[in-house]
């Protein structure tokens, strides 16, 4: 029914807030018994790739766009590693407003670029990395007086809390472990705030340990050191200077969790495992979560039987190149039945 309808009572919306709805949220929470069994845990995956633009960004974008319209904005701008731009472009199109998106040139997965373009956004390829593009977008938003819809916009984070609320409602309470990719660090901050809400409202006695995962080549929070030249196959989280670093560090420390890193090889292995043994195709950034669980299990650092949720933040179809790079090409035959039967033997 859309995030603003389902959770409007708990969000800063009033009768003056325009109703914006692409039927985002209410995504599946899927139990993965084959993979969970191998890891010795009760494993659940939140399929955020089932959102209308194919990532979790829609949860926050719907409120950011509704509030911007309420406040009189008529255009939007964002910088993005891909998914924020796809989401912003979709919602801008839906409400009939122009949208400018700044992308790090050549570093955005093909599906996400296709989305921003087909939704009709003004797509600008910046000759710098995401962190620089974000600075530029912030300055342009101020000068041109248009709404900035990156997660520096507080409504994004507030509305992304709905992911945690849905998990608590589906499981009856919060899980033991919450495992989530970390780029600009907004989502881990939002989930922790959402879990605390349910705790304060008396609807979950449990608070999960928050485990934030970064790619080894873009791990400012996991290493505690700035990362001026982030690099990873998981382009969504190719971010060196996370805007929400402070709240992410708080989420991890208050919950008794930790940050972990995984290599590009571990990420791609996990992507394949999730598809082959779970039936789920998620983009590389999302697969950092399973990669980390595999790594922790191997080091005997995974509490056996723990109820664990991984957030699969984006759809695998967004980055076909990453998937194709690690699989065998199709078997080629002519058009005879004999050849077919031979390859099926
Ligand atoms: C699939 O689109 O930053 O830690 O500009 O696309 O809240 O930043 C995307 C981030 C995880 C990290 N998984 O979330 C952008 C952008 C996917 C993502 C993250 C992103 P945050």
């Amino acid at each position: 029914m859309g995030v603003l309808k389902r959770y409007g009572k708990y969000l800063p919306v009033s009768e003056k807030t325009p109703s914006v709805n692409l039927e985002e949220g209410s995504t599946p929470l899927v139990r993965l018994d084959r993979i969970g069994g191998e890891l010795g845990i009760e494993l659940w995956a939140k399929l955020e790739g089932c959102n209308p633009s194919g990532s979790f960004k829609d949860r926050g974008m719907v409120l950011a766009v509704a509030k911007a319209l309420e406040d009189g904005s008529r255009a939007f701008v964002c910088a993005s590693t891909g998914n924020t731009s796809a989401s912003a472009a979709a919602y801008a199109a839906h409400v009939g407003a122009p949208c400018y998106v700044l992308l790090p040139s050549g570093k955005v997965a093909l599906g996400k670029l296709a989305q921003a373009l087909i939704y009709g956004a003004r797509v600008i390829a910046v000759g710098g990395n995401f962190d620089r593009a974000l600075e530029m977008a912030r300055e342009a938003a101020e000068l041109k007086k248009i709404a900035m819809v990156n997660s520096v916009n507080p409504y994004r984070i507030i509305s992304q809390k709905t992911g945690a609320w849905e998990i608590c409602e589906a499981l009856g309470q919060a899980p033991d472990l919450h495992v989530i990719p970390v780029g600009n660090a907004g989502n881990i901050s939002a989930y922790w705030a959402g879990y605390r809400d349910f705790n304060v409202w008396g609807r979950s006695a449990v608070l999960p340990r928050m485990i934030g995962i970064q790619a080894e080549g873009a791990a400012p929070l996991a290493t505690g050191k700035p990362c001026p030249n982030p690099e990873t196959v998981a382009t969504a989280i190719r971010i060196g200077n996370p805007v929400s670093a402070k709240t992410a560090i708080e989420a991890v420390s208050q919950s008794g969790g930790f940050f972990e890193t995984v290599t590009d090889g571990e990420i791609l292995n996990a992507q394949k495992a999730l598809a082959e043994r779970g039936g789920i195709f998620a983009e590389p950034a999302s697969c950092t979560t399973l990669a980390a669980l595999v790594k922790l299990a191997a080091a005997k650092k995974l509490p056996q039987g723990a109820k664990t949720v991984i957030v699969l933040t984006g759809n695998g179809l967004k980055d076909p190149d990453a998937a194709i790079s690690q699989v065998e090409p199709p078997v080629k035959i002519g058009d005879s039945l004999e050849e077919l039967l031979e390859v099926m033997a």
Side-chain angles (χ1 to χ4, degrees):
M1 61 175 88
V3 159
L4 300 188
K5 272 218 179 101
R6 180 166 173 181
Y7 289 115
K9 266 200 302 198
Y10 307 101
L11 296 171
V13 298
S14 69
E15 60 285 358
K16 284 199 234 104
T17 314
S19 70
V20 180
N21 183 10
L22 275 176
E23 300 293 335
E24 63 292 313
S26 303
T27 55
L29 184 67
V30 178
R31 190 166 163 154
L32 298 176
D33 280 336
R34 275 184 81 194
I35 299 173
E38 288 160 12
L39 296 169
I41 56 175
E42 183 186 315
L43 181 62
W44 297 83
K46 183 74 168 154
L47 302 196
E48 290 293 280
C50 294
N51 277 298
S53 83
S55 87
F56 73 97
K57 303 288 181 181
D58 296 339
R59 284 183 188 280
M61 199 59 69
V62 67
L63 183 62
V65 163
K67 295 303 279 189
L69 293 177
E70 182 179 341
D71 295 342
S73 290
R74 288 292 168 263
F76 307 105
V77 63
C78 68
S80 179
T81 58
N83 280 325
T84 298
S85 63
S87 185
Y91 283 85
H94 190 67
V95 303
C99 181
Y100 302 89
V101 309
L102 281 66
L103 304 177
S105 185
K107 295 293 183 182
V108 169
L110 192 63
K112 302 174 190 180
L113 184 61
Q115 286 183 287
L117 291 166
I118 197 77
Y119 289 132
R122 184 74 188 270
V123 179
I124 303 148
V126 176
N129 64 22
F130 167 80
D131 302 281
R132 177 60 191 141
L134 185 62
E135 287 170 358
M136 291 165 67
R138 285 174 97 150
E139 284 168 37
E142 202 150 301
L143 291 173
K144 290 181 71 82
K145 307 219 176 318
I146 59 180
M148 172 81 177
V149 293
N150 279 99
S151 57
V152 295
N153 180 320
Y155 295 120
R156 282 273 314 278
I157 307 287
I158 292 172
S159 198
Q160 281 174 216
K161 295 196 297 183
T162 57
W165 299 347
E166 285 178 18
I167 290 170
C168 291
E169 289 186 342
L171 297 178
Q173 59 180 4
D176 303 316
L177 304 178
H178 179 91
V179 187
I180 184 166
V182 175
N184 226 0
N187 212 24
I188 188 172
S189 306
Y191 268 92
W192 177 238
Y195 284 126
R196 274 184 316 172
D197 285 340
F198 256 59
N199 186 249
V200 168
W201 297 338
R203 293 184 62 187
S204 175
V206 179
L207 277 169
R209 295 171 68 194
M210 302 296 288
I211 305 179
I213 319 300
Q214 298 202 291
E216 202 175 75
L221 295 175
T223 61
K225 289 187 218 124
C227 181
N229 297 305
E231 209 48 80
T232 169
V233 68
T235 50
I237 52 171
R238 187 175 169 273
I239 295 173
N241 183 20
V243 163
S244 299
K246 185 167 168 283
T247 44
I249 292 166
E250 280 168 11
V252 161
S253 66
Q254 288 173 3
S255 71
F258 52 91
F259 290 105
E260 182 60 89
T261 63
V262 288
T263 65
D264 280 1
E266 288 168 333
I267 293 169
L268 292 175
N269 285 343
Q271 185 182 38
K272 197 147 183 279
L274 188 63
E276 282 184 350
R277 301 211 288 281
I280 292 169
F281 184 22
E283 68 165 284
S286 308
C287 299
T288 58
T289 54
L290 179 58
L293 289 177
V294 169
K295 182 176 174 182
L296 292 168
K300 305 249 177 295
K301 286 193 196 150
L302 206 53
Q304 291 301 285
K307 190 177 283 194
T308 305
V309 171
I310 56 176
V311 186
L312 299 179
T313 43
N315 198 300
L317 293 169
K318 285 173 171 279
D319 192 354
D321 299 319
I324 292 283
S325 73
Q326 53 166 334
V327 292
E328 295 294 321
V331 182
K332 273 213 173 110
I333 61 169
D335 65 353
S336 76
L337 183 61
E338 288 73 24
E339 283 174 285
L340 174 62
L341 294 178
E342 190 155 315
V343 299
M344 289 174 76

